Amino acid sequence: MSRYFKLSGFEPIIYRFKLNKWWFVKFSMGLISFTNKGIYCKQGDFYIDPWRPVDYAVTTHGHSDHVKAGNAHYLCHTLTKPILHRRIGEDLKIETLDYGQSITRNGVRISFHPAGHIIGSAQIRLEYKGEICVVSGDYKTEYDGISTPFEPVKCHTFVTESTFGLPVYKWQPQEIVMAEILRWARENISKGKSTVLVAYSLGKAQRLLNALAGAHPVYVHSSIANLNDALRQAGVTIPEATRISPETTKDMLQQGIMIVPPVMRTSRWIKTLISPVTGVCSGWMQVRSHRRWQSADAGFALSDHADWPGLLSAIRETGAETVYVTHGFTAAFSRFLNESGIYSEEVRTQYGAEEDEDAITTETPS
Protein backbone atom coordinates (compact mmCIF):
# COMPACT_ATOMS: atom_id res chain seq x y z
CA MET A 1 0.00 0.00 0.00
CA SER A 2 1.47 3.34 -0.96
CA ARG A 3 -0.79 6.15 0.23
CA TYR A 4 -4.34 7.06 1.06
CA PHE A 5 -6.07 9.42 -1.34
CA LYS A 6 -9.29 11.24 -0.53
CA LEU A 7 -12.07 11.60 -3.09
CA SER A 8 -14.65 14.05 -1.76
CA GLY A 9 -15.56 15.04 1.76
CA PHE A 10 -13.62 12.83 4.13
CA GLU A 11 -14.99 9.44 3.13
CA PRO A 12 -14.78 7.25 1.27
CA ILE A 13 -11.04 7.29 0.66
CA ILE A 14 -9.10 5.41 -1.96
CA TYR A 15 -5.77 3.75 -1.46
CA ARG A 16 -3.55 2.29 -4.12
CA PHE A 17 -1.30 -0.71 -3.85
CA LYS A 18 1.21 -2.25 -6.19
CA LEU A 19 1.25 -5.93 -7.09
CA ASN A 20 4.15 -6.92 -9.33
CA LYS A 21 4.24 -3.98 -11.77
CA TRP A 22 0.55 -3.10 -11.72
CA TRP A 23 -1.26 -0.51 -9.63
CA PHE A 24 -4.61 -1.48 -8.16
CA VAL A 25 -7.22 0.75 -6.55
CA LYS A 26 -9.25 -0.30 -3.54
CA PHE A 27 -12.01 1.60 -1.73
CA SER A 28 -12.19 1.98 2.02
CA MET A 29 -14.62 3.98 4.15
CA GLY A 30 -11.75 4.98 6.42
CA LEU A 31 -11.90 5.14 10.19
CA ILE A 32 -12.80 8.79 10.71
CA SER A 33 -14.85 11.51 9.10
CA PHE A 34 -15.18 15.16 10.02
CA THR A 35 -18.74 16.22 10.78
CA ASN A 36 -20.55 19.24 12.17
CA LYS A 37 -20.38 17.59 15.61
CA GLY A 38 -16.73 16.61 15.49
CA ILE A 39 -14.47 13.72 14.49
CA TYR A 40 -16.64 10.66 13.96
CA CYS A 41 -15.80 6.96 13.74
CA LYS A 42 -18.70 5.34 11.91
CA GLN A 43 -17.58 1.76 12.50
CA GLY A 44 -17.38 2.26 16.25
CA ASP A 45 -20.23 4.81 16.39
CA PHE A 46 -18.43 7.33 18.58
CA TYR A 47 -16.96 10.81 18.37
CA ILE A 48 -13.54 12.05 19.42
CA ASP A 49 -13.59 15.43 21.19
CA PRO A 50 -17.03 16.41 19.82
CA TRP A 51 -18.05 20.04 20.15
CA ARG A 52 -21.76 19.22 20.21
CA PRO A 53 -23.51 16.72 22.51
CA VAL A 54 -23.31 13.09 21.34
CA ASP A 55 -24.07 9.69 22.81
CA TYR A 56 -20.47 8.49 23.16
CA ALA A 57 -17.50 10.86 23.39
CA VAL A 58 -13.87 9.73 23.44
CA THR A 59 -11.87 12.51 25.07
CA THR A 60 -8.22 13.40 24.49
CA HIS A 61 -7.84 15.80 27.44
CA GLY A 62 -9.60 18.21 29.77
CA HIS A 63 -9.29 21.60 28.04
CA SER A 64 -12.60 23.22 27.19
CA ASP A 65 -12.06 23.25 23.42
CA HIS A 66 -11.73 19.45 23.43
CA VAL A 67 -14.37 18.36 25.93
CA LYS A 68 -17.91 19.69 26.31
CA ALA A 69 -20.81 19.12 28.63
CA GLY A 70 -23.92 17.25 27.50
CA ASN A 71 -22.52 13.95 26.23
CA ALA A 72 -24.30 10.82 27.41
CA HIS A 73 -21.07 8.85 27.90
CA TYR A 74 -17.40 9.81 28.17
CA LEU A 75 -14.29 7.70 27.67
CA CYS A 76 -11.09 9.33 28.89
CA HIS A 77 -7.75 8.69 30.56
CA THR A 78 -7.87 7.88 34.26
CA LEU A 79 -6.33 11.24 35.23
CA THR A 80 -8.72 13.19 33.02
CA LYS A 81 -11.72 11.89 34.97
CA PRO A 82 -11.21 14.18 38.01
CA ILE A 83 -10.76 17.11 35.64
CA LEU A 84 -14.09 16.39 33.94
CA HIS A 85 -15.80 16.04 37.30
CA ARG A 86 -14.33 19.33 38.44
CA ARG A 87 -15.11 21.27 35.29
CA ILE A 88 -18.34 19.72 34.01
CA GLY A 89 -19.96 18.05 37.00
CA GLU A 90 -20.04 14.99 39.21
CA ASP A 91 -23.08 13.41 37.55
CA LEU A 92 -21.29 12.08 34.47
CA LYS A 93 -21.09 8.59 32.99
CA ILE A 94 -17.34 8.15 32.57
CA GLU A 95 -15.26 5.15 31.56
CA THR A 96 -11.50 5.36 31.90
CA LEU A 97 -8.40 3.78 30.39
CA ASP A 98 -4.77 3.97 31.41
CA TYR A 99 -2.06 4.46 28.79
CA GLY A 100 -1.64 1.32 26.72
CA GLN A 101 -4.97 -0.14 27.78
CA SER A 102 -7.67 -0.72 25.18
CA ILE A 103 -11.32 -1.53 24.75
CA THR A 104 -13.21 -2.70 21.68
CA ARG A 105 -16.36 -0.95 20.56
CA ASN A 106 -18.29 -2.41 17.60
CA GLY A 107 -15.10 -4.06 16.37
CA VAL A 108 -12.95 -0.93 16.69
CA ARG A 109 -10.08 -1.24 19.13
CA ILE A 110 -9.57 2.00 21.06
CA SER A 111 -6.42 2.65 23.07
CA PHE A 112 -4.87 5.66 24.80
CA HIS A 113 -1.24 6.77 24.44
CA PRO A 114 0.64 9.68 26.06
CA ALA A 115 0.32 13.05 24.33
CA GLY A 116 2.57 15.00 26.71
CA HIS A 117 0.25 18.03 26.49
CA ILE A 118 -1.06 18.19 30.07
CA ILE A 119 -1.69 15.71 32.88
CA GLY A 120 -3.93 12.93 31.55
CA SER A 121 -3.75 14.00 27.90
CA ALA A 122 -3.92 11.14 25.42
CA GLN A 123 -3.60 10.33 21.77
CA ILE A 124 -6.47 8.13 20.64
CA ARG A 125 -5.44 5.10 18.58
CA LEU A 126 -8.14 3.39 16.52
CA GLU A 127 -7.65 0.02 14.85
CA TYR A 128 -10.15 -1.73 12.60
CA LYS A 129 -9.48 -4.56 10.15
CA GLY A 130 -5.80 -3.69 9.89
CA GLU A 131 -6.27 0.07 9.48
CA ILE A 132 -4.82 2.30 12.18
CA CYS A 133 -5.68 5.94 12.79
CA VAL A 134 -4.36 8.15 15.59
CA VAL A 135 -6.10 11.33 16.70
CA SER A 136 -3.54 13.22 18.73
CA GLY A 137 -5.63 16.04 20.19
CA ASP A 138 -3.05 18.53 21.46
CA TYR A 139 0.49 17.40 22.20
CA LYS A 140 4.06 18.44 22.90
CA THR A 141 7.19 16.41 22.47
CA GLU A 142 9.34 17.92 25.25
CA TYR A 143 8.98 16.29 28.66
CA ASP A 144 7.70 18.87 31.14
CA GLY A 145 8.47 17.03 34.36
CA ILE A 146 4.87 16.39 35.36
CA SER A 147 2.88 15.06 32.38
CA THR A 148 3.53 11.59 30.96
CA PRO A 149 6.01 12.08 28.06
CA PHE A 150 4.76 12.00 24.48
CA GLU A 151 5.08 8.66 22.69
CA PRO A 152 4.82 8.44 18.89
CA VAL A 153 2.35 5.83 17.68
CA LYS A 154 2.73 4.11 14.31
CA CYS A 155 -0.33 4.53 12.11
CA HIS A 156 -1.66 4.94 8.58
CA THR A 157 -3.55 8.17 9.31
CA PHE A 158 -2.58 10.85 11.82
CA VAL A 159 -4.63 13.85 12.96
CA THR A 160 -2.34 16.61 14.20
CA GLU A 161 -2.72 20.09 15.59
CA SER A 162 -0.69 22.97 14.15
CA THR A 163 -1.07 25.64 16.84
CA PHE A 164 2.56 26.65 16.35
CA GLY A 165 3.03 25.25 12.88
CA LEU A 166 5.49 27.86 11.58
CA PRO A 167 9.33 27.70 11.65
CA VAL A 168 9.54 30.79 13.89
CA TYR A 169 8.17 28.76 16.78
CA LYS A 170 11.08 26.83 18.27
CA TRP A 171 11.13 26.52 22.05
CA GLN A 172 14.08 26.87 24.35
CA PRO A 173 14.51 23.85 26.67
CA GLN A 174 12.14 24.10 29.61
CA GLU A 175 14.93 24.39 32.19
CA ILE A 176 16.21 27.53 30.45
CA VAL A 177 12.75 29.14 30.40
CA MET A 178 12.08 28.27 34.05
CA ALA A 179 15.48 29.67 35.08
CA GLU A 180 14.62 32.89 33.24
CA ILE A 181 11.28 33.08 35.07
CA LEU A 182 12.95 32.52 38.42
CA ARG A 183 15.60 35.20 37.77
CA TRP A 184 12.86 37.65 36.81
CA ALA A 185 10.84 36.84 39.94
CA ARG A 186 13.84 37.21 42.26
CA GLU A 187 14.68 40.58 40.72
CA ASN A 188 11.10 41.74 41.25
CA ILE A 189 11.09 40.63 44.88
CA SER A 190 14.41 42.36 45.53
CA LYS A 191 12.91 45.59 44.19
CA GLY A 192 9.75 45.32 46.27
CA LYS A 193 7.48 44.45 43.34
CA SER A 194 4.63 41.93 43.28
CA THR A 195 5.28 39.12 40.80
CA VAL A 196 2.30 37.79 38.84
CA LEU A 197 2.66 34.90 36.39
CA VAL A 198 -0.23 34.45 33.96
CA ALA A 199 -0.75 30.81 32.96
CA TYR A 200 -3.59 28.41 32.17
CA SER A 201 -5.12 26.81 35.24
CA LEU A 202 -4.74 23.37 33.69
CA GLY A 203 -1.35 22.62 32.22
CA LYS A 204 1.16 25.43 32.62
CA ALA A 205 0.13 26.22 36.21
CA GLN A 206 1.12 22.72 37.32
CA ARG A 207 4.38 22.90 35.32
CA LEU A 208 5.29 26.19 36.99
CA LEU A 209 4.54 24.82 40.45
CA ASN A 210 6.65 21.75 39.76
CA ALA A 211 9.59 23.79 38.48
CA LEU A 212 9.49 26.66 41.00
CA ALA A 213 8.75 24.65 44.14
CA GLY A 214 10.94 25.65 47.08
CA ALA A 215 12.34 28.80 45.50
CA HIS A 216 9.88 31.28 46.99
CA PRO A 217 6.39 31.11 48.51
CA VAL A 218 3.93 30.43 45.69
CA TYR A 219 0.34 31.68 45.73
CA VAL A 220 -2.29 30.43 43.29
CA HIS A 221 -5.72 31.51 42.16
CA SER A 222 -8.61 29.37 43.40
CA SER A 223 -9.21 27.91 39.91
CA ILE A 224 -5.68 26.50 39.99
CA ALA A 225 -5.95 25.38 43.62
CA ASN A 226 -9.21 23.52 42.90
CA LEU A 227 -7.68 21.59 40.01
CA ASN A 228 -4.56 20.83 42.03
CA ASP A 229 -6.72 19.40 44.81
CA ALA A 230 -8.65 17.22 42.37
CA LEU A 231 -5.46 15.90 40.76
CA ARG A 232 -3.81 15.23 44.12
CA GLN A 233 -6.84 13.20 45.18
CA ALA A 234 -6.33 11.15 42.01
CA GLY A 235 -2.74 10.41 43.02
CA VAL A 236 -0.81 13.09 41.13
CA THR A 237 2.13 14.64 42.99
CA ILE A 238 1.86 18.43 42.77
CA PRO A 239 3.87 20.74 45.05
CA GLU A 240 1.85 22.62 47.62
CA ALA A 241 0.97 26.26 47.10
CA THR A 242 -1.10 28.76 49.06
CA ARG A 243 -4.58 29.48 47.79
CA ILE A 244 -5.13 33.22 47.40
CA SER A 245 -8.05 34.30 49.56
CA PRO A 246 -9.40 37.57 51.00
CA GLU A 247 -7.26 36.80 54.07
CA THR A 248 -4.05 36.75 52.01
CA THR A 249 -2.38 40.12 52.57
CA LYS A 250 -0.70 42.14 49.85
CA ASP A 251 2.51 42.15 51.89
CA MET A 252 2.52 38.35 51.82
CA LEU A 253 1.96 38.28 48.06
CA GLN A 254 4.76 40.77 47.52
CA GLN A 255 7.26 38.32 49.01
CA GLY A 256 6.31 35.43 46.74
CA ILE A 257 5.21 34.42 43.26
CA MET A 258 1.57 34.47 42.19
CA ILE A 259 0.12 32.27 39.44
CA VAL A 260 -3.23 33.35 38.04
CA PRO A 261 -5.28 32.38 34.94
CA PRO A 262 -5.41 34.61 31.84
CA VAL A 263 -8.86 35.96 32.74
CA MET A 264 -7.26 37.73 35.71
CA ARG A 265 -4.53 39.45 33.70
CA THR A 266 -6.34 42.77 33.32
CA SER A 267 -8.38 42.58 36.50
CA ARG A 268 -8.67 45.48 38.91
CA TRP A 269 -7.40 43.20 41.67
CA ILE A 270 -3.92 42.96 40.14
CA LYS A 271 -3.75 46.75 39.91
CA THR A 272 -4.34 46.99 43.68
CA LEU A 273 -1.20 44.95 44.47
CA ILE A 274 2.05 46.57 45.59
CA SER A 275 3.95 47.59 42.42
CA PRO A 276 2.58 44.67 40.37
CA VAL A 277 4.45 43.27 37.35
CA THR A 278 3.00 40.58 35.09
CA GLY A 279 4.72 37.88 33.11
CA VAL A 280 2.68 35.98 30.51
CA CYS A 281 3.61 32.32 30.01
CA SER A 282 2.62 31.35 26.48
CA GLY A 283 4.12 30.10 23.26
CA TRP A 284 2.84 33.26 21.62
CA MET A 285 5.49 35.18 23.59
CA GLN A 286 8.04 33.78 21.13
CA VAL A 287 7.03 36.67 18.87
CA ARG A 288 7.59 40.09 20.43
CA SER A 289 4.55 41.64 18.78
CA HIS A 290 2.33 39.37 20.88
CA ARG A 291 4.04 40.56 24.03
CA ARG A 292 3.36 44.17 23.12
CA TRP A 293 -0.24 43.34 22.23
CA GLN A 294 -0.73 41.71 25.63
CA SER A 295 0.84 44.75 27.37
CA ALA A 296 2.80 42.40 29.59
CA ASP A 297 5.85 43.44 31.60
CA ALA A 298 7.53 40.19 30.57
CA GLY A 299 6.78 37.29 28.28
CA PHE A 300 8.03 33.72 28.53
CA ALA A 301 7.70 31.32 25.60
CA LEU A 302 6.37 28.41 27.63
CA SER A 303 3.86 26.28 25.76
CA ASP A 304 1.97 23.03 26.23
CA HIS A 305 1.97 22.56 22.44
CA ALA A 306 4.65 21.18 20.15
CA ASP A 307 6.85 23.69 18.37
CA TRP A 308 7.73 23.45 14.66
CA PRO A 309 10.52 20.85 15.09
CA GLY A 310 8.33 18.89 17.52
CA LEU A 311 5.41 18.73 15.12
CA LEU A 312 7.60 17.52 12.28
CA SER A 313 9.42 14.90 14.35
CA ALA A 314 6.17 13.57 15.80
CA ILE A 315 4.58 13.18 12.38
CA ARG A 316 7.62 11.51 10.86
CA GLU A 317 7.86 9.04 13.72
CA THR A 318 4.26 7.92 13.20
CA GLY A 319 5.09 6.80 9.65
CA ALA A 320 1.63 8.07 8.66
CA GLU A 321 0.77 8.16 4.97
CA THR A 322 -2.04 10.65 5.45
CA VAL A 323 -2.02 13.60 7.86
CA TYR A 324 -5.04 15.77 8.67
CA VAL A 325 -4.09 19.16 10.13
CA THR A 326 -6.40 20.88 12.56
CA HIS A 327 -6.39 24.22 14.44
CA GLY A 328 -3.49 26.57 14.04
CA PHE A 329 -1.50 27.43 10.93
CA THR A 330 -3.31 24.69 9.04
CA ALA A 331 -2.82 25.92 5.48
CA ALA A 332 0.90 26.64 5.79
CA PHE A 333 1.66 23.47 7.74
CA SER A 334 -0.38 21.22 5.46
CA ARG A 335 1.28 22.73 2.40
CA PHE A 336 4.72 22.11 3.90
CA LEU A 337 3.88 18.46 4.58
CA ASN A 338 2.66 17.96 1.02
CA GLU A 339 5.81 19.54 -0.36
CA SER A 340 7.81 17.21 1.88
CA GLY A 341 6.12 14.14 0.40
CA ILE A 342 3.54 13.49 3.13
CA TYR A 343 -0.04 13.64 1.86
CA SER A 344 -1.88 16.18 4.00
CA GLU A 345 -5.13 18.13 4.16
CA GLU A 346 -6.22 20.91 6.44
CA VAL A 347 -9.43 20.37 8.41
CA ARG A 348 -11.70 22.99 9.91
CA THR A 349 -12.61 22.22 13.52
CA GLN A 350 -13.65 24.12 16.63
CA TYR A 351 -10.44 23.33 18.48
CA GLY A 352 -7.86 25.91 19.39
CA ALA A 353 -9.96 28.40 21.37
CA GLU A 354 -8.14 27.31 24.49
CA GLU A 355 -9.57 29.88 26.85
CA ASP A 356 -9.10 29.45 30.56
CA GLU A 357 -12.19 27.47 31.37
CA ASP A 358 -12.89 28.46 34.95
CA ALA A 359 -15.27 31.38 34.88
CA ILE A 360 -14.27 34.23 37.18
CA THR A 361 -17.28 36.10 38.47
CA THR A 362 -15.53 38.50 40.85
CA GLU A 363 -12.49 40.75 40.73
CA THR A 364 -10.94 39.04 43.76
CA PRO A 365 -9.16 35.72 43.20
CA SER A 366 -10.93 33.95 46.04
Side-chain angles (χ1 to χ4, degrees):
M1 186 172 65
S2 67
R3 177 176 294 177
Y4 290 110
F5 289 86
K6 189 173 70 70
L7 271 181
S8 60
F10 293 94
E11 55 178 86
I13 57 178
I14 303 173
Y15 60 84
R16 304 191 306 166
F17 63 99
K18 195 173 186 180
L19 183 61
N20 295 324
K21 295 182 178 180
W22 298 94
W23 285 99
F24 294 84
V25 176
K26 184 178 179 180
F27 287 84
S28 171
M29 290 305 291
L31 268 176
I32 58 170
S33 58
F34 298 84
T35 75
N36 61 358
K37 291 183 178 179
I39 301 173
Y40 180 57
C41 176
K42 182 177 181 180
Q43 294 88 338
D45 191 22
F46 58 83
Y47 289 82
I48 299 175
D49 292 353
W51 47 79
R52 294 184 184 177
V54 300
D55 181 65
Y56 198 94
V58 181
T59 299
T60 61
H61 66 284
H63 279 147
S64 64
D65 57 331
H66 285 261
V67 62
K68 305 292 184 181
N71 299 309
H73 300 84
Y74 295 83
L75 176 67
C76 65
H77 185 267
T78 305
L79 294 180
T80 298
K81 182 177 180 178
I83 296 170
L84 300 192
H85 279 315
R86 174 66 203 170
R87 294 193 146 174
I88 298 178
E90 291 294 330
D91 189 23
L92 299 176
K93 293 184 179 179
I94 300 178
E95 303 172 67
T96 63
L97 291 174
D98 288 327
Y99 296 126
Q101 288 188 324
S102 65
I103 63 169
T104 299
R105 180 175 168 84
N106 298 338
V108 179
R109 184 182 180 189
I110 306 168
S111 58
F112 284 10
H113 304 267
H117 176 54
I118 61 172
I119 293 171
S121 62
Q123 303 174 82
I124 312 301
R125 180 186 185 274
L126 311 178
E127 182 175 358
Y128 182 75
K129 295 183 178 180
E131 183 180 353
I132 300 171
C133 173
V134 172
V135 180
S136 61
D138 289 330
Y139 64 93
K140 69 174 180 291
T141 54
E142 181 187 25
Y143 177 50
D144 61 16
I146 194 165
S147 307
T148 304
F150 175 87
E151 293 181 5
V153 182
K154 296 292 183 181
C155 57
H156 301 104
T157 303
F158 187 62
V159 181
T160 182
E161 61 151 305
S162 61
T163 304
F164 295 105
L166 290 179
V168 68
Y169 294 106
K170 183 177 181 180
W171 313 140
Q172 290 283 341
Q174 174 175 285
E175 59 268 23
I176 293 177
V177 179
M178 292 299 184
E180 182 183 355
I181 291 173
L182 187 55
R183 283 195 299 270
W184 177 74
R186 285 174 172 166
E187 182 179 352
N188 295 336
I189 293 171
S190 69
K191 294 180 179 179
K193 298 179 180 181
S194 297
T195 302
V196 183
L197 290 173
V198 178
Y200 286 122
S201 297
L202 177 59
K204 281 193 281 283
Q206 289 74 38
R207 290 175 67 184
L208 288 166
L209 277 172
N210 196 53
L212 302 177
H216 291 279
V218 178
Y219 300 88
V220 297
H221 187 274
S222 59
S223 65
I224 299 170
N226 290 337
L227 281 167
N228 289 346
D229 290 344
L231 289 168
R232 288 190 189 104
Q233 291 173 10
V236 181
T237 300
I238 298 175
E240 293 294 333
T242 302
R243 181 191 295 260
I244 301 173
S245 70
E247 288 71 41
T248 310
T249 68
K250 294 176 183 177
D251 288 335
M252 293 167 60
L253 296 174
Q254 186 186 20
Q255 298 304 312
I257 300 171
M258 287 165 275
I259 306 176
V260 303
V263 291
M264 290 296 296
R265 188 180 61 82
T266 58
S267 70
R268 290 194 298 271
W269 174 80
I270 288 182
K271 296 176 183 178
T272 67
L273 297 173
I274 301 170
S275 302
V277 286
T278 58
V280 175
C281 299
S282 169
W284 300 115
M285 296 298 102
Q286 181 83 3
V287 179
R288 290 187 179 275
S289 61
H290 281 90
R291 190 178 307 180
R292 290 195 297 269
W293 178 75
Q294 296 246 1
S295 300
D297 297 294
F300 304 99
L302 185 70
S303 178
D304 286 327
H305 297 265
D307 60 3
W308 173 264
L311 289 168
L312 295 179
S313 66
I315 290 168
R316 287 172 182 144
E317 287 185 90
T318 68
E321 298 163 323
T322 297
V323 176
Y324 292 119
V325 181
T326 71
H327 64 296
F329 294 100
T330 55
F333 193 60
S334 181
R335 182 170 60 250
F336 180 87
L337 292 177
N338 279 305
E339 291 172 352
S340 301
I342 300 173
Y343 180 74
S344 174
E345 291 202 21
E346 55 179 310
V347 178
R348 184 173 297 178
T349 66
Q350 294 188 19
Y351 308 135
E354 196 175 286
E355 300 174 357
D356 207 59
E357 299 87 345
D358 295 293
I360 308 300
T361 56
T362 66
E363 286 291 342
T364 59
S366 59

